[in-house]
Structures are given as C-alpha cells and as structure tokens.
Amino acid sequence: MSEFDDEEYESFELDGAGRSAEPVKKTTGSGAGGDDDIEDDDDDFDESDLEDAADDEIDFVLAAYREDGQPYVQSLGKDLANDLDELIIQLRRLPGDAGALGFVSLVEEVFVITRVRGQHVQVLLSDAAAAADWPIARDVVDYLGEEPIDEDEEEGEPIGDLGIVADLGLSDFDMGAIIDNLDLSSVEMLVEVADKIKLNPQFRKAVEAAVG
C-alpha cells in the first residue's frame, strides 16, 4: 500500500478555479410556433431517446479520495453511470478534505472522470461522440455547455478538462496520450491514469473485483 507525505496529500487539493456544482444546461431556442417549431423538433436531440446503460454495459463506477494522506478506492452503485448530477452528489458526500474523484467506464470503450471538491467540479469524457449513445456522456456535454456532437463525427476526441489531475502527476498532454492509445480499453486507460496519480494498487484491485 502506497504511503504519501504531507506534500503529496496537499497536492490532491483543487486550485481555486473550478466549475459550479450546478450543471450548465445547453438549451436551444425555438420559435413561438409554426414551421420553426416543427423544424426544431426534428433537429434537436431528444435525451429521452437514450436508454440507460444496462448493468452488463457498465464496467465499473469507482470513487477515490485521500484521508490522512492514504488513498482509498471504493465501488459505487452502477446506477450512477447514467446520471452525472447524482454522481457529483455522491462524490461530495465522501470524506477527505481534498475532495473525491469518480471514474466510470462503459463497454470498455468510453470513460468519464469527475473531480469534486466542495462547489468545484471538473469533468472529462474520453469520447465526445459517445454523447449520442450514453446518458452520462450526454450529461457531460450538457454540463460543459457544449453543442452535441454529430453522430457522423470522427470518434475518439475527448471533451472536458484534460488537466483534471495535472496537479496529481498526470499532465493534460499525458492524459491525451493515454486516450489516444487505441490499443487500450477504457478500463485499461483508467488503470493507467490511477497508476500515474498513485492510486494503485487499491484502484487496480477495485477494478478487478468489479469486472471479474
């Protein structure tokens, strides 16, 4: 089990910058009636069309935090893999003065990292095009106030804060390199992220328990 000195523990804390805990929802304007409304109904993405990820499509939902310098990793309910708002709420309830990290992996192809400390929230989605398929990916796009990605767009482009754990030892450049490595599944990507920010072996053991 890894040991952390006071300096490493302090590094887990977020900078003063961060997003509000209240998600920023991107809305699209529509006319007061007539043909414009019909056109908008055809073009706008209806979130109700997205089915929740089933249990067998969710690799894991894990949370990590540090207390007294020691990293802890625990499994969270799989239902949180479909709801970014609720995931943020649950992460905020975890102990540890330095906040908490949430890790979600879906079908070994897509991951979401969420970092919460008080009212400051950061998010990272490994593939913006996944917003067309998974509710939590759509939540990330909405939270960031970005336009939905066209399903025909090339997959693999991340969206959000690539430097989400830069102060913990993984730069935005190195995070991008991990995501760009198509030889890795999303599970393996997150294990590598955890290794870089010194959450292993606890994180790896939690993953093995979740995926079998």
Side-chain angles (χ1 to χ4, degrees):
M1 187 171 293
S2 302
E3 297 294 335
F4 296 86
D5 56 29
D6 290 340
E7 181 178 353
E8 287 173 319
Y9 178 66
E10 290 297 325
S11 72
F12 189 79
E13 297 187 5
L14 283 175
D15 296 331
R19 294 187 59 87
S20 165
E22 293 298 324
V24 178
K25 299 297 184 182
K26 190 72 174 182
T27 59
T28 55
S30 60
D35 294 340
D36 288 342
D37 285 336
I38 296 173
E39 182 178 350
D40 285 345
D41 289 341
D42 290 339
D43 294 340
D44 287 349
F45 183 90
D46 185 355
E47 290 188 49
S48 65
D49 290 342
L50 284 182
E51 294 185 2
D52 283 354
D55 280 1
D56 61 356
E57 295 173 316
I58 301 167
D59 304 315
F60 55 76
V61 182
L62 299 178
Y65 60 93
R66 287 190 176 102
E67 199 168 25
D68 295 328
Q70 177 65 38
Y72 293 89
V73 179
Q74 68 182 62
S75 180
L76 298 178
K78 283 192 171 183
D79 57 307
L80 298 178
N82 291 306
D83 191 335
L84 178 64
D85 289 351
E86 187 61 30
L87 176 60
I88 290 170
I89 290 171
Q90 295 304 318
L91 291 174
R92 189 171 286 122
R93 291 175 176 171
L94 293 175
D97 296 335
L101 287 161
F103 303 87
V104 176
S105 177
L106 300 169
V107 295
E108 298 189 3
E109 294 180 359
V110 178
F111 75 70
V112 173
I113 300 176
T114 307
R115 189 173 182 181
V116 179
R117 183 175 184 266
Q119 296 302 307
H120 298 289
V121 178
Q122 296 164 279
V123 291
L124 173 64
L125 170 64
S126 63
D127 181 359
D133 299 313
W134 308 108
I136 196 167
R138 168 59 51 147
D139 288 349
V140 170
V141 171
D142 287 345
Y143 183 84
L144 294 170
E146 299 289 346
E147 293 289 348
I149 303 299
D150 191 303
E151 291 186 59
D152 295 329
E153 291 284 341
E154 182 178 355
E155 295 184 0
E157 290 298 320
I159 187 172
D161 191 351
L162 284 172
I164 191 169
V165 289
D167 60 313
L168 306 182
L170 182 62
S171 70
D172 54 351
F173 177 83
D174 290 334
M175 178 71 81
I178 291 174
I179 293 174
D180 287 342
N181 187 348
L182 300 181
D183 291 331
L184 298 178
S185 69
S186 58
V187 171
E188 293 168 327
M189 289 178 185
L190 289 180
V191 170
E192 187 166 339
V193 168
D195 191 55
K196 298 294 185 182
I197 61 176
K198 301 179 181 178
L199 290 178
N200 283 325
Q202 293 91 331
F203 188 91
R204 188 183 297 273
K205 290 178 179 177
V207 170
E208 290 172 353
V211 301

